Amino acid sequence: MMNRKARIVVLISGRGSNMVAIADNIDAGLIPDAEIVLVLSNKDDAPGLQIARERGLHTWFIRASSSFLERKLTREEYDEQLKGVLADYEPDLICLAGFMRILSPGFVQEYQNRILNIHPSLLPAFPGEDAHTDVLAYGAKVSGCTIHMVDEQVDHGPIVVQRTVPVHESDTKKTLADRVLVEEHIAYTEAINMVLSGNFEVVGRRFQLKEL
Ligand code: GRF
């Protein structure tokens, strides 16, 4: 048992609804003994960043380009900056919630088994940036979301939680995304509780809860 609250950092790039769901569920006591210590974005105009500020959460952004260097940062340079910021916040868990950057192997290794990502399909089906479009084009009858540990490959690490939804013939990308999003907000909380319990092991690709 930790004798302080578990420290969660949420990384976002956009509207931040998963970040809000995590914050709401902490406030509602559904993620006990935890706090969001930082919401960080790679975009200073991410709507989620403003929402986080309004609810009194610490926020930060790191741009992909450096005006000092007058160029885009390499992935490694970006992640070094990220590490520097995160070090001050001592995160127990980093939740990627619509964070549209791939993390370097060095970063992933530094926080091994402490980074979660959410992906809006049932991995390993439909990885990549436009999962809902791919699900509809393929004609899949079921979709959902996956919360997984982040490893060195994209949309790949051990699966912690999956939740499913039906795909309807009449679905558009928006109707499917909306249905999946409801499950995302539940799944992230489930996964965070599992990981923060510390009562798990990762065996090969398999995330498994230990018997108490
Ligand atoms: C979610 O659908 C998530 O699965 C995907 O990006 C979206 C982020 O939504 N990776 P939000 O910013 O949490 O509202």
Side-chain angles (χ1 to χ4, degrees):
M1 271 302 262
M2 281 181 263
N3 50 15
R4 60 163 170 81
K5 285 187 176 178
R7 301 170 67 79
I8 299 174
V9 170
V10 187
L11 305 191
I12 64 168
S13 299
R15 76 191 150 174
S17 74
N18 278 285
M19 176 273 297
V20 168
I22 295 167
D24 284 347
N25 286 343
I26 289 173
D27 290 350
L30 298 174
I31 305 175
D33 303 321
E35 59 183 330
I36 295 179
V37 291
L38 179 68
V39 177
L40 184 145
S41 173
N42 59 328
K43 296 192 173 146
D44 50 355
D45 59 352
L49 215 47
Q50 182 59 26
I51 295 168
R53 273 187 215 113
E54 280 163 12
R55 31 188 322 155
L57 296 170
H58 281 236
T59 62
W60 198 271
F61 63 86
I62 304 175
R63 285 199 191 91
S65 310
S66 157
S67 47
F68 175 66
L69 296 173
E70 294 180 337
R71 62 168 171 79
K72 241 180 128 199
L73 299 175
T74 65
R75 192 178 308 292
E76 286 70 27
E77 286 170 341
Y78 188 95
D79 288 359
E80 277 308 308
Q81 288 202 19
L82 190 55
K83 272 190 210 170
V85 173
L86 294 194
D88 291 341
Y89 289 88
E90 300 181 340
D92 298 302
L93 185 62
I94 298 168
C95 296
L96 311 187
F99 185 60
M100 301 303 284
R101 283 189 65 88
I102 296 169
L103 296 168
S104 57
F107 185 92
V108 171
Q109 280 149 22
E110 170 113 6
Y111 288 100
Q112 205 192 12
N113 289 348
R114 286 190 289 153
I115 314 173
L116 292 175
N117 182 42
I118 185 158
H119 181 76
S121 77
L122 298 174
L123 292 173
F126 310 110
E129 277 187 23
D130 205 0
H132 300 305
T133 301
D134 296 341
V135 165
L136 292 173
Y138 200 86
K141 304 300 182 207
V142 177
S143 192
C145 63
T146 303
I147 315 289
H148 64 92
M149 296 269 184
V150 172
D151 67 7
E152 287 82 356
Q153 296 177 54
V154 177
D155 296 336
H156 177 269
I159 292 169
V160 181
V161 171
Q162 289 185 308
R163 293 181 67 91
T164 60
V165 301
V167 180
H168 302 315
E169 269 176 28
S170 57
D171 267 334
T172 61
K173 185 176 162 183
K174 165 134 182 35
T175 58
L176 178 58
D178 288 348
R179 191 175 310 119
V180 171
L181 193 64
V182 173
E183 303 305 319
E184 291 185 34
H185 295 165
I186 300 167
Y188 226 143
T189 288
E190 291 177 346
I192 289 170
N193 279 326
M194 286 180 190
V195 173
L196 289 184
S197 76
N199 182 42
F200 69 88
E201 55 192 351
V202 179
V203 183
R205 287 204 39 86
R206 292 165 65 109
F207 173 96
Q208 35 200 49
L209 291 177
K210 290 191 213 159
E211 286 189 25
L212 287 173

Short mmCIF file of all heavy atoms in Angstrom, two decimals, residues 169-202:
data_model
loop_
_atom_site.label_atom_id
_atom_site.label_comp_id
_atom_site.label_asym_id
_atom_site.label_seq_id
_atom_site.Cartn_x
_atom_site.Cartn_y
_atom_site.Cartn_z
N GLU A 169 -25.32 -1.53 -38.75
CA GLU A 169 -25.22 -1.26 -40.20
C GLU A 169 -25.34 0.22 -40.51
O GLU A 169 -24.76 0.73 -41.46
CB GLU A 169 -26.30 -2.03 -40.96
CG GLU A 169 -25.79 -3.39 -41.38
CD GLU A 169 -26.86 -4.21 -42.06
OE1 GLU A 169 -27.78 -3.61 -42.67
OE2 GLU A 169 -26.76 -5.44 -41.96
N SER A 170 -26.14 0.92 -39.71
CA SER A 170 -26.39 2.34 -39.97
C SER A 170 -25.28 3.23 -39.40
O SER A 170 -25.34 4.45 -39.54
CB SER A 170 -27.72 2.73 -39.32
OG SER A 170 -27.65 2.44 -37.93
N ASP A 171 -24.28 2.63 -38.76
CA ASP A 171 -23.26 3.46 -38.09
C ASP A 171 -22.48 4.35 -39.05
O ASP A 171 -22.12 3.94 -40.15
CB ASP A 171 -22.25 2.58 -37.34
CG ASP A 171 -22.64 2.37 -35.90
OD1 ASP A 171 -23.35 3.21 -35.34
OD2 ASP A 171 -22.24 1.34 -35.33
N THR A 172 -22.23 5.55 -38.58
CA THR A 172 -21.24 6.42 -39.20
C THR A 172 -20.03 6.41 -38.26
O THR A 172 -20.10 5.90 -37.13
CB THR A 172 -21.75 7.87 -39.31
OG1 THR A 172 -22.00 8.33 -37.97
CG2 THR A 172 -23.03 7.94 -40.13
N LYS A 173 -18.96 7.02 -38.72
CA LYS A 173 -17.78 7.11 -37.86
C LYS A 173 -18.16 7.77 -36.52
O LYS A 173 -17.72 7.35 -35.46
CB LYS A 173 -16.73 7.94 -38.60
CG LYS A 173 -15.42 8.02 -37.91
CD LYS A 173 -14.42 8.77 -38.76
CE LYS A 173 -13.27 9.23 -37.91
NZ LYS A 173 -12.29 10.03 -38.63
N LYS A 174 -19.03 8.80 -36.60
CA LYS A 174 -19.40 9.54 -35.38
C LYS A 174 -20.24 8.69 -34.42
O LYS A 174 -19.99 8.68 -33.22
CB LYS A 174 -20.13 10.82 -35.77
CG LYS A 174 -20.87 11.47 -34.63
CD LYS A 174 -20.63 12.96 -34.55
CE LYS A 174 -21.31 13.65 -33.38
NZ LYS A 174 -21.42 12.93 -32.14
N THR A 175 -21.23 7.98 -34.96
CA THR A 175 -22.09 7.20 -34.06
C THR A 175 -21.29 6.07 -33.41
O THR A 175 -21.48 5.76 -32.23
CB THR A 175 -23.33 6.63 -34.78
OG1 THR A 175 -22.91 5.80 -35.89
CG2 THR A 175 -24.25 7.74 -35.30
N LEU A 176 -20.40 5.47 -34.18
CA LEU A 176 -19.57 4.40 -33.61
C LEU A 176 -18.61 4.98 -32.57
O LEU A 176 -18.46 4.43 -31.46
CB LEU A 176 -18.80 3.68 -34.72
CG LEU A 176 -17.86 2.57 -34.26
CD1 LEU A 176 -18.61 1.48 -33.48
CD2 LEU A 176 -17.13 1.95 -35.44
N ALA A 177 -17.97 6.09 -32.92
CA ALA A 177 -17.02 6.72 -31.97
C ALA A 177 -17.72 7.09 -30.67
O ALA A 177 -17.17 6.89 -29.58
CB ALA A 177 -16.38 7.94 -32.62
N ASP A 178 -18.94 7.63 -30.78
CA ASP A 178 -19.68 8.03 -29.57
C ASP A 178 -19.98 6.81 -28.69
O ASP A 178 -19.89 6.88 -27.46
CB ASP A 178 -21.00 8.71 -29.95
CG ASP A 178 -20.78 10.11 -30.52
OD1 ASP A 178 -19.65 10.62 -30.42
OD2 ASP A 178 -21.75 10.67 -31.08
N ARG A 179 -20.35 5.69 -29.35
CA ARG A 179 -20.69 4.48 -28.57
C ARG A 179 -19.44 3.92 -27.90
O ARG A 179 -19.48 3.49 -26.74
CB ARG A 179 -21.32 3.44 -29.52
CG ARG A 179 -21.95 2.25 -28.79
CD ARG A 179 -22.67 1.30 -29.76
NE ARG A 179 -23.56 2.02 -30.64
CZ ARG A 179 -23.45 2.03 -31.99
NH1 ARG A 179 -22.52 1.33 -32.59
NH2 ARG A 179 -24.28 2.73 -32.71
N VAL A 180 -18.33 3.94 -28.61
CA VAL A 180 -17.08 3.43 -28.04
C VAL A 180 -16.60 4.34 -26.90
O VAL A 180 -16.10 3.86 -25.87
CB VAL A 180 -15.99 3.29 -29.13
CG1 VAL A 180 -14.63 2.96 -28.52
CG2 VAL A 180 -16.39 2.21 -30.15
N LEU A 181 -16.79 5.64 -27.07
CA LEU A 181 -16.27 6.60 -26.08
C LEU A 181 -16.88 6.37 -24.69
O LEU A 181 -16.20 6.50 -23.67
CB LEU A 181 -16.53 8.04 -26.54
CG LEU A 181 -15.78 9.12 -25.77
CD1 LEU A 181 -14.26 9.01 -25.95
CD2 LEU A 181 -16.25 10.52 -26.21
N VAL A 182 -18.16 6.01 -24.67
CA VAL A 182 -18.81 5.71 -23.38
C VAL A 182 -18.04 4.60 -22.67
O VAL A 182 -17.78 4.66 -21.46
CB VAL A 182 -20.28 5.29 -23.62
CG1 VAL A 182 -20.93 4.82 -22.32
CG2 VAL A 182 -21.07 6.43 -24.25
N GLU A 183 -17.65 3.60 -23.44
CA GLU A 183 -16.92 2.46 -22.85
C GLU A 183 -15.49 2.85 -22.49
O GLU A 183 -14.93 2.35 -21.51
CB GLU A 183 -16.91 1.28 -23.82
CG GLU A 183 -18.29 0.81 -24.24
CD GLU A 183 -19.19 0.47 -23.07
OE1 GLU A 183 -18.71 -0.15 -22.10
OE2 GLU A 183 -20.38 0.85 -23.14
N GLU A 184 -14.90 3.75 -23.29
CA GLU A 184 -13.53 4.20 -22.98
C GLU A 184 -13.47 4.79 -21.58
O GLU A 184 -12.54 4.54 -20.82
CB GLU A 184 -13.09 5.27 -23.99
CG GLU A 184 -12.86 4.75 -25.38
CD GLU A 184 -12.30 5.81 -26.32
OE1 GLU A 184 -11.52 6.67 -25.88
OE2 GLU A 184 -12.66 5.78 -27.51
N HIS A 185 -14.49 5.62 -21.28
CA HIS A 185 -14.47 6.32 -20.00
C HIS A 185 -14.58 5.36 -18.82
O HIS A 185 -14.04 5.62 -17.75
CB HIS A 185 -15.59 7.37 -19.96
CG HIS A 185 -15.39 8.46 -20.97
ND1 HIS A 185 -16.38 9.33 -21.33
CD2 HIS A 185 -14.31 8.81 -21.71
CE1 HIS A 185 -15.91 10.18 -22.24
NE2 HIS A 185 -14.66 9.87 -22.49
N ILE A 186 -15.27 4.26 -19.03
CA ILE A 186 -15.37 3.23 -17.97
C ILE A 186 -14.07 2.42 -17.92
O ILE A 186 -13.52 2.14 -16.86
CB ILE A 186 -16.57 2.30 -18.25
CG1 ILE A 186 -17.88 3.10 -18.29
CG2 ILE A 186 -16.64 1.17 -17.23
CD1 ILE A 186 -19.07 2.34 -18.85
N ALA A 187 -13.60 2.04 -19.11
CA ALA A 187 -12.44 1.13 -19.19
C ALA A 187 -11.19 1.76 -18.57
O ALA A 187 -10.40 1.07 -17.91
CB ALA A 187 -12.17 0.77 -20.64
N TYR A 188 -11.02 3.07 -18.79
CA TYR A 188 -9.78 3.67 -18.28
C TYR A 188 -9.73 3.60 -16.75
O TYR A 188 -8.69 3.31 -16.15
CB TYR A 188 -9.60 5.12 -18.78
CG TYR A 188 -8.17 5.36 -19.28
CD1 TYR A 188 -7.92 6.17 -20.37
CD2 TYR A 188 -7.08 4.77 -18.65
CE1 TYR A 188 -6.63 6.36 -20.85
CE2 TYR A 188 -5.78 4.96 -19.11
CZ TYR A 188 -5.56 5.75 -20.21
OH TYR A 188 -4.28 5.93 -20.66
N THR A 189 -10.87 3.85 -16.14
CA THR A 189 -10.92 3.78 -14.67
C THR A 189 -10.65 2.35 -14.19
O THR A 189 -9.90 2.14 -13.23
CB THR A 189 -12.28 4.30 -14.18
OG1 THR A 189 -12.29 5.71 -14.37
CG2 THR A 189 -12.53 3.98 -12.71
N GLU A 190 -11.23 1.38 -14.88
CA GLU A 190 -10.98 -0.02 -14.49
C GLU A 190 -9.49 -0.34 -14.58
O GLU A 190 -8.91 -0.95 -13.68
CB GLU A 190 -11.75 -0.97 -15.43
CG GLU A 190 -13.25 -0.94 -15.25
CD GLU A 190 -13.98 -1.85 -16.23
OE1 GLU A 190 -13.39 -2.33 -17.23
OE2 GLU A 190 -15.18 -2.07 -16.01
N ALA A 191 -8.88 0.08 -15.66
CA ALA A 191 -7.46 -0.24 -15.88
C ALA A 191 -6.58 0.47 -14.86
O ALA A 191 -5.63 -0.12 -14.31
CB ALA A 191 -7.05 0.15 -17.29
N ILE A 192 -6.88 1.73 -14.59
CA ILE A 192 -6.08 2.48 -13.61
C ILE A 192 -6.14 1.80 -12.25
O ILE A 192 -5.13 1.62 -11.57
CB ILE A 192 -6.58 3.95 -13.51
CG1 ILE A 192 -6.21 4.70 -14.79
CG2 ILE A 192 -6.00 4.65 -12.29
CD1 ILE A 192 -6.86 6.08 -14.91
N ASN A 193 -7.34 1.38 -11.85
CA ASN A 193 -7.45 0.71 -10.54
C ASN A 193 -6.65 -0.59 -10.50
O ASN A 193 -6.01 -0.91 -9.50
CB ASN A 193 -8.93 0.45 -10.23
CG ASN A 193 -9.61 1.69 -9.67
OD1 ASN A 193 -8.97 2.49 -8.97
ND2 ASN A 193 -10.87 1.89 -10.00
N MET A 194 -6.69 -1.33 -11.61
CA MET A 194 -5.92 -2.59 -11.64
C MET A 194 -4.43 -2.32 -11.50
O MET A 194 -3.73 -2.98 -10.73
CB MET A 194 -6.16 -3.31 -12.97
CG MET A 194 -7.51 -3.96 -13.05
SD MET A 194 -7.62 -4.78 -14.67
CE MET A 194 -9.34 -5.21 -14.66
N VAL A 195 -3.94 -1.34 -12.24
CA VAL A 195 -2.50 -1.08 -12.22
C VAL A 195 -2.09 -0.47 -10.88
O VAL A 195 -1.07 -0.87 -10.30
CB VAL A 195 -2.10 -0.18 -13.41
CG1 VAL A 195 -0.65 0.25 -13.30
CG2 VAL A 195 -2.34 -0.91 -14.72
N LEU A 196 -2.87 0.47 -10.37
CA LEU A 196 -2.49 1.10 -9.11
C LEU A 196 -2.57 0.13 -7.93
O LEU A 196 -1.91 0.34 -6.91
CB LEU A 196 -3.37 2.33 -8.83
CG LEU A 196 -3.12 3.54 -9.73
CD1 LEU A 196 -3.99 4.71 -9.29
CD2 LEU A 196 -1.64 3.94 -9.76
N SER A 197 -3.36 -0.93 -8.07
CA SER A 197 -3.41 -1.92 -7.00
C SER A 197 -2.04 -2.57 -6.82
O SER A 197 -1.71 -3.09 -5.75
CB SER A 197 -4.46 -3.01 -7.31
OG SER A 197 -3.95 -3.91 -8.29
N GLY A 198 -1.24 -2.54 -7.88
CA GLY A 198 0.07 -3.19 -7.82
C GLY A 198 -0.03 -4.71 -7.85
O GLY A 198 0.98 -5.41 -7.89
N ASN A 199 -1.26 -5.20 -7.85
CA ASN A 199 -1.48 -6.63 -7.72
C ASN A 199 -1.55 -7.32 -9.09
O ASN A 199 -2.54 -7.95 -9.41
CB ASN A 199 -2.79 -6.82 -6.92
CG ASN A 199 -3.09 -8.26 -6.67
OD1 ASN A 199 -2.20 -9.02 -6.33
ND2 ASN A 199 -4.35 -8.65 -6.86
N PHE A 200 -0.53 -7.09 -9.88
CA PHE A 200 -0.54 -7.69 -11.23
C PHE A 200 0.86 -8.12 -11.61
O PHE A 200 1.85 -7.71 -10.99
CB PHE A 200 -1.08 -6.68 -12.25
CG PHE A 200 -0.15 -5.52 -12.50
CD1 PHE A 200 0.86 -5.59 -13.47
CD2 PHE A 200 -0.25 -4.35 -11.76
CE1 PHE A 200 1.72 -4.53 -13.68
CE2 PHE A 200 0.63 -3.28 -11.97
CZ PHE A 200 1.60 -3.38 -12.93
N GLU A 201 0.90 -8.97 -12.59
CA GLU A 201 2.20 -9.29 -13.19
C GLU A 201 2.03 -9.30 -14.70
O GLU A 201 0.93 -9.51 -15.21
CB GLU A 201 2.74 -10.63 -12.68
CG GLU A 201 1.80 -11.78 -12.88
CD GLU A 201 2.23 -13.01 -12.10
OE1 GLU A 201 3.34 -13.02 -11.54
OE2 GLU A 201 1.43 -13.97 -12.06
N VAL A 202 3.12 -9.02 -15.39
CA VAL A 202 3.11 -9.06 -16.84
C VAL A 202 3.98 -10.23 -17.24
O VAL A 202 5.18 -10.24 -16.98
CB VAL A 202 3.62 -7.74 -17.45
CG1 VAL A 202 3.62 -7.83 -18.97
CG2 VAL A 202 2.76 -6.57 -16.98
#
